[in-house]
Amino acid sequence: MKLDHIQIHTTDAKLALNISDPVQHIEQPRAKQHIEQPAATLEIHSTPAKLLIDSSQAYRDLGLYTPKEAVEVNAQKGKQKAMEGIARRASEGDQMMNISKNSGDAIRRIAASKAIPAPPQMAITWKPSVGAVKIHYQAGSLDINIQRHQPKIDVQIGKVVHDYTPGDVTGTLIQRPSVETTVIKGEN
């Protein structure tokens, strides 16, 4: 005996898809930056130092005088030499006046004192006095003033430009799905 058969025939559905891709555009403009550094201000103030050296006393000790001082010193020396000459002549006069009392050798003594000069001195005759050179120092000053200035920074950030078009999918049914069944009879 033969049995009935069922024959099943199916047709798949067919779709047509229309797909448009999304479009995205991103742009980042460069930032604009401006930096300015003002120069620092530098001020220097100075007072010069002073050094005063007074060596006038050392020059006087050497015998070097100003014209006014030279006149005064030489006048004093002249007066002193004149007084010494007067005293010497007075002494010689007294010796001559008393020649009878001194056994008559006053002329010989006066002549001997003039005939033999005094030996010259062979030594350093000049030596400055203590403190002959006066030194005065007045210190100077130096003031330095620096003013620094902060940099000026200006930044303008470019905004992001974002453009987005979303994608789209559309579908069309080209073929409908179907199921067909057929029964085939079996024979006896």
Side-chain angles (χ1 to χ4, degrees), residues 129-177:
S129 58
V130 176
V133 177
K134 295 175 181 74
I135 298 174
H136 176 70
Y137 176 72
Q138 181 178 353
S141 66
L142 180 64
D143 296 324
I144 299 174
N145 185 14
I146 299 173
Q147 290 180 327
R148 68 180 186 94
H149 301 290
Q150 295 292 333
K152 296 175 183 176
I153 301 173
D154 182 24
V155 178
Q156 294 176 349
I157 299 172
K159 292 188 176 182
V160 176
V161 177
H162 184 226
D163 186 19
Y164 177 72
T165 304
D168 190 21
V169 177
T170 56
T172 307
L173 186 61
I174 296 174
Q175 180 178 334
R176 292 192 174 270

Side-chain angles (χ1 to χ4, degrees), residues 40-181:
T41 304
L42 174 65
E43 294 178 356
I44 299 175
H45 300 283
S46 64
T47 304
K50 292 182 182 177
L51 176 63
L52 301 173
I53 300 174
D54 182 9
S55 59
S56 58
Q57 183 61 43
Y59 279 108
R60 283 188 208 102
D61 291 347
L62 274 172
L64 302 173
Y65 302 103
T66 64
K68 182 180 177 183
E69 290 173 339
V71 168
E72 291 174 3
V73 168
N74 288 329
Q76 183 63 32
K77 283 183 183 177
K79 185 178 179 181
Q80 182 181 349
K81 289 292 183 180
M83 290 305 208
E84 287 175 5
I86 292 171
R88 182 178 46 82
R89 284 179 178 74
S91 172
E92 289 173 359
D94 286 344
Q95 288 179 22
M96 294 296 276
M97 188 175 61
N98 296 325
I99 199 166
S100 62
K101 293 182 189 174
N102 293 333
S103 66
D105 62 343
I107 294 175
R108 184 181 57 78
R109 279 187 287 160
I110 292 172
S113 69
K114 295 199 185 274
I116 302 171
Q121 292 184 343
M122 301 300 276
I124 296 174
T125 58
W126 172 80
K127 174 172 85 170
S129 58
V130 176
V133 177
K134 295 175 181 74
I135 298 174
H136 176 70
Y137 176 72
Q138 181 178 353
S141 66
L142 180 64
D143 296 324
I144 299 174
N145 185 14
I146 299 173
Q147 290 180 327
R148 68 180 186 94
H149 301 290
Q150 295 292 333
K152 296 175 183 176
I153 301 173
D154 182 24
V155 178
Q156 294 176 349
I157 299 172
K159 292 188 176 182
V160 176
V161 177
H162 184 226
D163 186 19
Y164 177 72
T165 304
D168 190 21
V169 177
T170 56
T172 307
L173 186 61
I174 296 174
Q175 180 178 334
R176 292 192 174 270
S178 64
V179 177
E180 291 179 20
T181 56

